[in-house]
Amino acid sequence: MTSADDFGWLDDDSIVGYSVSFVEGVDPGEALRRIGAEADTCPASSAAEADELAGDSGGAAVVRAGRCGGWTALVEHDANAGVNEATLPALSTGTRVVCVFSSASGMDLFYFAENGQVTTVVETSIPANRFGSEPDRFLAEMADVGLVAGEIAESVRAATMALAREVCGVELTEEMMFDARLQTGLVSSPR
């Protein structure tokens, strides 16, 4: 049993794809502004309400933000238009960001950015695929959650989220991912 077992709920077939980013020491409104979101024009929303908002947004990304310990969690369903390699530098200026992304097609990624630089990127579905200026920075943490080169994790999604928890020390709960009404912003075009 690994700590990845705590996140088995991510393997529910109804979860198409998502992006979750943890930003240290930055409040939700500021985190949304850093990625270019219009944070004051949307009501707080659950995942279902954000999905409805996405349908009415004309293609803008809908990102929800809430406190998670000393970090802010940015949650985006079915996309990563709000938080991605283009927005991570601004989001991580003066702080650290840990981001996980899972696509409907089975690609899972882990990002670590610090002070405006994306230093570590791991394609967790193929743990040997590591990039950035510090590609091997989290090898011990990866092994702890079952992400080992040459091996296939029982649940890549669960292991990737467990890796995020190992690195930043905070945990996104199923309730926060789906049911909590979090501050919500629209990102028309990534910065």
mmCIF file of all heavy atoms in Angstrom, residues 51-93:
data_model
loop_
_atom_site.group_PDB
_atom_site.id
_atom_site.type_symbol
_atom_site.label_atom_id
_atom_site.label_comp_id
_atom_site.label_asym_id
_atom_site.label_seq_id
_atom_site.Cartn_x
_atom_site.Cartn_y
_atom_site.Cartn_z
ATOM 1 N N ASP A 51 -18.901 23.812 -14.395
ATOM 2 C CA ASP A 51 -19.149 23.178 -15.690
ATOM 3 C C ASP A 51 -20.231 23.924 -16.457
ATOM 4 O O ASP A 51 -20.115 24.161 -17.657
ATOM 5 C CB ASP A 51 -19.532 21.713 -15.487
ATOM 6 C CG ASP A 51 -19.577 20.951 -16.791
ATOM 7 O OD1 ASP A 51 -18.639 21.090 -17.599
ATOM 8 O OD2 ASP A 51 -20.562 20.216 -17.009
ATOM 9 N N GLU A 52 -21.293 24.323 -15.758
ATOM 10 C CA GLU A 52 -22.355 25.114 -16.394
ATOM 11 C C GLU A 52 -21.809 26.455 -16.861
ATOM 12 O O GLU A 52 -22.113 26.912 -17.965
ATOM 13 C CB GLU A 52 -23.510 25.335 -15.424
ATOM 14 C CG GLU A 52 -24.344 24.108 -15.171
ATOM 15 C CD GLU A 52 -25.459 24.375 -14.173
ATOM 16 O OE1 GLU A 52 -25.936 25.530 -14.092
ATOM 17 O OE2 GLU A 52 -25.859 23.418 -13.484
ATOM 18 N N LEU A 53 -20.998 27.085 -16.018
ATOM 19 C CA LEU A 53 -20.392 28.367 -16.365
ATOM 20 C C LEU A 53 -19.497 28.225 -17.592
ATOM 21 O O LEU A 53 -19.498 29.084 -18.474
ATOM 22 C CB LEU A 53 -19.595 28.906 -15.176
ATOM 23 C CG LEU A 53 -18.952 30.275 -15.316
ATOM 24 C CD1 LEU A 53 -19.994 31.356 -15.592
ATOM 25 C CD2 LEU A 53 -18.178 30.611 -14.043
ATOM 26 N N ALA A 54 -18.774 27.114 -17.679
ATOM 27 C CA ALA A 54 -17.900 26.879 -18.833
ATOM 28 C C ALA A 54 -18.709 26.812 -20.116
ATOM 29 O O ALA A 54 -18.280 27.321 -21.160
ATOM 30 C CB ALA A 54 -17.099 25.592 -18.639
ATOM 31 N N GLY A 55 -19.884 26.207 -20.049
ATOM 32 C CA GLY A 55 -20.732 26.119 -21.232
ATOM 33 C C GLY A 55 -21.227 27.473 -21.713
ATOM 34 O O GLY A 55 -21.507 27.659 -22.891
ATOM 35 N N ASP A 56 -21.318 28.430 -20.794
ATOM 36 C CA ASP A 56 -21.802 29.769 -21.123
ATOM 37 C C ASP A 56 -20.681 30.791 -21.307
ATOM 38 O O ASP A 56 -20.951 31.961 -21.547
ATOM 39 C CB ASP A 56 -22.723 30.286 -20.000
ATOM 40 C CG ASP A 56 -23.957 29.426 -19.817
ATOM 41 O OD1 ASP A 56 -24.378 28.776 -20.796
ATOM 42 O OD2 ASP A 56 -24.487 29.401 -18.687
ATOM 43 N N SER A 57 -19.428 30.353 -21.195
ATOM 44 C CA SER A 57 -18.307 31.305 -21.138
ATOM 45 C C SER A 57 -17.709 31.667 -22.494
ATOM 46 O O SER A 57 -16.763 32.447 -22.550
ATOM 47 C CB SER A 57 -17.203 30.751 -20.245
ATOM 48 O OG SER A 57 -16.557 29.656 -20.889
ATOM 49 N N GLY A 58 -18.185 31.076 -23.548
ATOM 50 C CA GLY A 58 -17.626 31.376 -24.860
ATOM 51 C C GLY A 58 -16.213 30.861 -25.056
ATOM 52 O O GLY A 58 -15.423 31.444 -25.781
ATOM 53 N N GLY A 59 -15.878 29.775 -24.403
ATOM 54 C CA GLY A 59 -14.560 29.169 -24.579
ATOM 55 C C GLY A 59 -13.534 29.555 -23.540
ATOM 56 O O GLY A 59 -12.396 29.078 -23.584
ATOM 57 N N ALA A 60 -13.873 30.406 -22.596
ATOM 58 C CA ALA A 60 -12.927 30.781 -21.537
ATOM 59 C C ALA A 60 -12.741 29.599 -20.583
ATOM 60 O O ALA A 60 -13.656 28.807 -20.372
ATOM 61 C CB ALA A 60 -13.432 31.999 -20.770
ATOM 62 N N ALA A 61 -11.550 29.492 -20.020
ATOM 63 C CA ALA A 61 -11.282 28.472 -19.011
ATOM 64 C C ALA A 61 -11.915 28.910 -17.698
ATOM 65 O O ALA A 61 -11.883 30.083 -17.341
ATOM 66 C CB ALA A 61 -9.780 28.301 -18.834
ATOM 67 N N VAL A 62 -12.498 27.961 -16.977
ATOM 68 C CA VAL A 62 -13.086 28.235 -15.670
ATOM 69 C C VAL A 62 -12.183 27.594 -14.624
ATOM 70 O O VAL A 62 -11.942 26.387 -14.654
ATOM 71 C CB VAL A 62 -14.519 27.667 -15.564
ATOM 72 C CG1 VAL A 62 -15.097 27.932 -14.185
ATOM 73 C CG2 VAL A 62 -15.403 28.260 -16.655
ATOM 74 N N VAL A 63 -11.667 28.413 -13.705
ATOM 75 C CA VAL A 63 -10.739 27.937 -12.678
ATOM 76 C C VAL A 63 -11.320 28.294 -11.312
ATOM 77 O O VAL A 63 -11.715 29.428 -11.079
ATOM 78 C CB VAL A 63 -9.338 28.567 -12.848
ATOM 79 C CG1 VAL A 63 -8.370 28.028 -11.801
ATOM 80 C CG2 VAL A 63 -8.793 28.314 -14.254
ATOM 81 N N ARG A 64 -11.363 27.308 -10.425
ATOM 82 C CA ARG A 64 -11.828 27.504 -9.053
ATOM 83 C C ARG A 64 -10.622 27.549 -8.122
ATOM 84 O O ARG A 64 -9.647 26.827 -8.341
ATOM 85 C CB ARG A 64 -12.757 26.358 -8.646
ATOM 86 C CG ARG A 64 -13.993 26.292 -9.518
ATOM 87 C CD ARG A 64 -14.797 24.994 -9.375
ATOM 88 N NE ARG A 64 -15.073 24.624 -8.004
ATOM 89 C CZ ARG A 64 -14.705 23.457 -7.457
ATOM 90 N NH1 ARG A 64 -14.027 22.546 -8.165
ATOM 91 N NH2 ARG A 64 -15.009 23.180 -6.209
ATOM 92 N N ALA A 65 -10.676 28.377 -7.085
ATOM 93 C CA ALA A 65 -9.535 28.554 -6.185
ATOM 94 C C ALA A 65 -9.977 28.563 -4.729
ATOM 95 O O ALA A 65 -10.945 29.245 -4.380
ATOM 96 C CB ALA A 65 -8.821 29.859 -6.509
ATOM 97 N N GLY A 66 -9.270 27.791 -3.895
ATOM 98 C CA GLY A 66 -9.574 27.762 -2.470
ATOM 99 C C GLY A 66 -8.340 27.462 -1.645
ATOM 100 O O GLY A 66 -7.355 26.914 -2.156
ATOM 101 N N ARG A 67 -8.395 27.829 -0.369
ATOM 102 C CA ARG A 67 -7.276 27.599 0.545
ATOM 103 C C ARG A 67 -7.150 26.123 0.868
ATOM 104 O O ARG A 67 -8.131 25.417 1.045
ATOM 105 C CB ARG A 67 -7.473 28.385 1.835
ATOM 106 C CG ARG A 67 -7.426 29.891 1.656
ATOM 107 C CD ARG A 67 -6.144 30.419 1.106
ATOM 108 N NE ARG A 67 -5.053 30.284 2.066
ATOM 109 C CZ ARG A 67 -3.795 30.582 1.773
ATOM 110 N NH1 ARG A 67 -3.460 31.014 0.593
ATOM 111 N NH2 ARG A 67 -2.868 30.435 2.673
ATOM 112 N N CYS A 68 -5.903 25.697 0.965
ATOM 113 C CA CYS A 68 -5.571 24.314 1.286
ATOM 114 C C CYS A 68 -4.336 24.391 2.191
ATOM 115 O O CYS A 68 -3.213 24.408 1.696
ATOM 116 C CB CYS A 68 -5.285 23.569 -0.017
ATOM 117 S SG CYS A 68 -5.559 21.813 -0.001
ATOM 118 N N GLY A 69 -4.556 24.551 3.476
ATOM 119 C CA GLY A 69 -3.434 24.804 4.376
ATOM 120 C C GLY A 69 -2.844 26.158 4.067
ATOM 121 O O GLY A 69 -3.556 27.128 3.850
ATOM 122 N N GLY A 70 -1.524 26.258 4.019
ATOM 123 C CA GLY A 70 -0.847 27.505 3.678
ATOM 124 C C GLY A 70 -0.718 27.722 2.178
ATOM 125 O O GLY A 70 0.017 28.591 1.732
ATOM 126 N N TRP A 71 -1.413 26.926 1.418
ATOM 127 C CA TRP A 71 -1.358 26.984 -0.039
ATOM 128 C C TRP A 71 -2.750 27.314 -0.581
ATOM 129 O O TRP A 71 -3.749 27.153 0.105
ATOM 130 C CB TRP A 71 -0.907 25.643 -0.614
ATOM 131 C CG TRP A 71 0.461 25.201 -0.203
ATOM 132 C CD1 TRP A 71 0.890 24.909 1.060
ATOM 133 C CD2 TRP A 71 1.587 24.980 -1.049
ATOM 134 N NE1 TRP A 71 2.203 24.525 1.049
ATOM 135 C CE2 TRP A 71 2.664 24.554 -0.237
ATOM 136 C CE3 TRP A 71 1.787 25.090 -2.423
ATOM 137 C CZ2 TRP A 71 3.914 24.241 -0.750
ATOM 138 C CZ3 TRP A 71 3.031 24.771 -2.935
ATOM 139 C CH2 TRP A 71 4.094 24.367 -2.103
ATOM 140 N N THR A 72 -2.813 27.734 -1.830
ATOM 141 C CA THR A 72 -4.073 27.862 -2.554
ATOM 142 C C THR A 72 -4.103 26.766 -3.602
ATOM 143 O O THR A 72 -3.108 26.525 -4.295
ATOM 144 C CB THR A 72 -4.189 29.243 -3.233
ATOM 145 O OG1 THR A 72 -4.448 30.219 -2.232
ATOM 146 C CG2 THR A 72 -5.317 29.284 -4.249
ATOM 147 N N ALA A 73 -5.238 26.092 -3.710
ATOM 148 C CA ALA A 73 -5.428 25.087 -4.756
ATOM 149 C C ALA A 73 -6.249 25.715 -5.868
ATOM 150 O O ALA A 73 -7.302 26.298 -5.621
ATOM 151 C CB ALA A 73 -6.142 23.862 -4.201
ATOM 152 N N LEU A 74 -5.747 25.631 -7.089
ATOM 153 C CA LEU A 74 -6.477 26.049 -8.293
ATOM 154 C C LEU A 74 -6.952 24.774 -8.976
ATOM 155 O O LEU A 74 -6.147 23.898 -9.291
ATOM 156 C CB LEU A 74 -5.571 26.831 -9.241
ATOM 157 C CG LEU A 74 -5.044 28.165 -8.736
ATOM 158 C CD1 LEU A 74 -4.010 28.730 -9.698
ATOM 159 C CD2 LEU A 74 -6.178 29.147 -8.550
ATOM 160 N N VAL A 75 -8.257 24.667 -9.188
ATOM 161 C CA VAL A 75 -8.849 23.452 -9.747
ATOM 162 C C VAL A 75 -9.529 23.794 -11.065
ATOM 163 O O VAL A 75 -10.354 24.705 -11.137
ATOM 164 C CB VAL A 75 -9.883 22.849 -8.765
ATOM 165 C CG1 VAL A 75 -10.468 21.561 -9.336
ATOM 166 C CG2 VAL A 75 -9.267 22.611 -7.394
ATOM 167 N N GLU A 76 -9.178 23.034 -12.080
ATOM 168 C CA GLU A 76 -9.771 23.227 -13.413
ATOM 169 C C GLU A 76 -10.181 21.861 -13.936
ATOM 170 O O GLU A 76 -9.374 20.929 -13.942
ATOM 171 C CB GLU A 76 -8.729 23.867 -14.326
ATOM 172 C CG GLU A 76 -9.242 24.278 -15.659
ATOM 173 C CD GLU A 76 -8.189 25.025 -16.482
ATOM 174 O OE1 GLU A 76 -7.068 25.256 -16.008
ATOM 175 O OE2 GLU A 76 -8.515 25.349 -17.635
ATOM 176 N N HIS A 77 -11.419 21.730 -14.346
ATOM 177 C CA HIS A 77 -11.929 20.452 -14.838
ATOM 178 C C HIS A 77 -11.900 20.417 -16.360
ATOM 179 O O HIS A 77 -12.171 21.410 -17.023
ATOM 180 C CB HIS A 77 -13.354 20.213 -14.332
ATOM 181 C CG HIS A 77 -13.399 20.050 -12.847
ATOM 182 N ND1 HIS A 77 -13.203 18.842 -12.234
ATOM 183 C CD2 HIS A 77 -13.565 20.956 -11.853
ATOM 184 C CE1 HIS A 77 -13.264 18.997 -10.933
ATOM 185 N NE2 HIS A 77 -13.483 20.269 -10.669
ATOM 186 N N ASP A 78 -11.567 19.247 -16.898
ATOM 187 C CA ASP A 78 -11.584 18.980 -18.338
ATOM 188 C C ASP A 78 -10.619 19.840 -19.152
ATOM 189 O O ASP A 78 -10.780 19.935 -20.365
ATOM 190 C CB ASP A 78 -13.004 19.138 -18.916
ATOM 191 C CG ASP A 78 -13.978 18.158 -18.287
ATOM 192 O OD1 ASP A 78 -13.539 17.095 -17.841
ATOM 193 O OD2 ASP A 78 -15.174 18.473 -18.258
ATOM 194 N N ALA A 79 -9.650 20.479 -18.521
ATOM 195 C CA ALA A 79 -8.742 21.344 -19.288
ATOM 196 C C ALA A 79 -7.551 21.750 -18.432
ATOM 197 O O ALA A 79 -7.519 21.509 -17.235
ATOM 198 C CB ALA A 79 -9.479 22.592 -19.765
ATOM 199 N N ASN A 80 -6.615 22.381 -19.087
ATOM 200 C CA ASN A 80 -5.524 23.059 -18.376
ATOM 201 C C ASN A 80 -5.213 24.373 -19.073
ATOM 202 O O ASN A 80 -4.082 24.788 -19.184
ATOM 203 C CB ASN A 80 -4.281 22.175 -18.259
ATOM 204 C CG ASN A 80 -3.543 21.995 -19.566
ATOM 205 O OD1 ASN A 80 -4.149 22.012 -20.634
ATOM 206 N ND2 ASN A 80 -2.243 21.809 -19.491
ATOM 207 N N ALA A 81 -6.250 25.048 -19.518
ATOM 208 C CA ALA A 81 -6.065 26.326 -20.205
ATOM 209 C C ALA A 81 -5.686 27.429 -19.237
ATOM 210 O O ALA A 81 -4.999 28.373 -19.606
ATOM 211 C CB ALA A 81 -7.338 26.705 -20.967
ATOM 212 N N GLY A 82 -6.137 27.319 -17.985
ATOM 213 C CA GLY A 82 -5.837 28.360 -17.008
ATOM 214 C C GLY A 82 -4.439 28.248 -16.447
ATOM 215 O O GLY A 82 -3.704 29.228 -16.359
ATOM 216 N N VAL A 83 -4.048 27.053 -16.035
ATOM 217 C CA VAL A 83 -2.709 26.830 -15.489
ATOM 218 C C VAL A 83 -1.996 25.857 -16.408
ATOM 219 O O VAL A 83 -2.425 24.730 -16.599
ATOM 220 C CB VAL A 83 -2.758 26.275 -14.052
ATOM 221 C CG1 VAL A 83 -1.355 26.041 -13.533
ATOM 222 C CG2 VAL A 83 -3.510 27.237 -13.129
ATOM 223 N N ASN A 84 -0.903 26.311 -16.992
ATOM 224 C CA ASN A 84 -0.130 25.496 -17.924
ATOM 225 C C ASN A 84 1.295 26.058 -17.991
ATOM 226 O O ASN A 84 1.627 26.967 -17.236
ATOM 227 C CB ASN A 84 -0.808 25.463 -19.302
ATOM 228 C CG ASN A 84 -1.082 26.859 -19.816
ATOM 229 O OD1 ASN A 84 -0.208 27.717 -19.817
ATOM 230 N ND2 ASN A 84 -2.318 27.104 -20.248
ATOM 231 N N GLU A 85 2.107 25.547 -18.888
ATOM 232 C CA GLU A 85 3.498 26.006 -18.952
ATOM 233 C C GLU A 85 3.612 27.491 -19.273
ATOM 234 O O GLU A 85 4.579 28.132 -18.898
ATOM 235 C CB GLU A 85 4.285 25.159 -19.955
ATOM 236 C CG GLU A 85 4.549 23.761 -19.407
ATOM 237 C CD GLU A 85 5.480 22.939 -20.269
ATOM 238 O OE1 GLU A 85 6.577 23.427 -20.589
ATOM 239 O OE2 GLU A 85 5.092 21.806 -20.599
ATOM 240 N N ALA A 86 2.590 28.063 -19.924
ATOM 241 C CA ALA A 86 2.627 29.493 -20.233
ATOM 242 C C ALA A 86 2.310 30.352 -19.012
ATOM 243 O O ALA A 86 2.839 31.456 -18.867
ATOM 244 C CB ALA A 86 1.639 29.813 -21.359
ATOM 245 N N THR A 87 1.445 29.864 -18.110
ATOM 246 C CA THR A 87 1.051 30.669 -16.947
ATOM 247 C C THR A 87 1.823 30.328 -15.681
ATOM 248 O O THR A 87 1.807 31.104 -14.728
ATOM 249 C CB THR A 87 -0.462 30.521 -16.667
ATOM 250 O OG1 THR A 87 -0.766 29.150 -16.428
ATOM 251 C CG2 THR A 87 -1.292 31.055 -17.823
ATOM 252 N N LEU A 88 2.495 29.187 -15.631
ATOM 253 C CA LEU A 88 3.230 28.798 -14.425
ATOM 254 C C LEU A 88 4.308 29.805 -14.013
ATOM 255 O O LEU A 88 4.476 30.043 -12.810
ATOM 256 C CB LEU A 88 3.830 27.406 -14.582
ATOM 257 C CG LEU A 88 2.872 26.262 -14.315
ATOM 258 C CD1 LEU A 88 3.483 24.927 -14.719
ATOM 259 C CD2 LEU A 88 2.429 26.228 -12.869
ATOM 260 N N PRO A 89 5.056 30.428 -14.928
ATOM 261 C CA PRO A 89 6.048 31.409 -14.476
ATOM 262 C C PRO A 89 5.431 32.562 -13.675
ATOM 263 O O PRO A 89 5.922 32.900 -12.591
ATOM 264 C CB PRO A 89 6.703 31.890 -15.772
ATOM 265 C CG PRO A 89 6.605 30.692 -16.678
ATOM 266 C CD PRO A 89 5.235 30.129 -16.366
ATOM 267 N N ALA A 90 4.351 33.152 -14.163
ATOM 268 C CA ALA A 90 3.711 34.250 -13.426
ATOM 269 C C ALA A 90 3.111 33.756 -12.118
ATOM 270 O O ALA A 90 3.191 34.430 -11.088
ATOM 271 C CB ALA A 90 2.635 34.913 -14.285
ATOM 272 N N LEU A 91 2.527 32.576 -12.132
ATOM 273 C CA LEU A 91 1.909 32.022 -10.934
ATOM 274 C C LEU A 91 2.940 31.749 -9.846
ATOM 275 O O LEU A 91 2.668 31.921 -8.662
ATOM 276 C CB LEU A 91 1.162 30.735 -11.297
ATOM 277 C CG LEU A 91 0.300 30.091 -10.223
ATOM 278 C CD1 LEU A 91 -0.768 31.058 -9.714
ATOM 279 C CD2 LEU A 91 -0.347 28.821 -10.772
ATOM 280 N N SER A 92 4.150 31.356 -10.239
ATOM 281 C CA SER A 92 5.176 30.976 -9.261
ATOM 282 C C SER A 92 6.130 32.102 -8.884
ATOM 283 O O SER A 92 7.054 31.876 -8.099
ATOM 284 C CB SER A 92 5.983 29.788 -9.793
ATOM 285 O OG SER A 92 6.757 30.164 -10.918
ATOM 286 N N THR A 93 5.928 33.309 -9.391
ATOM 287 C CA THR A 93 6.827 34.414 -9.060
ATOM 288 C C THR A 93 6.842 34.644 -7.550
ATOM 289 O O THR A 93 5.808 34.855 -6.938
ATOM 290 C CB THR A 93 6.412 35.699 -9.801
ATOM 291 O OG1 THR A 93 6.529 35.453 -11.207
ATOM 292 C CG2 THR A 93 7.298 36.869 -9.429
#
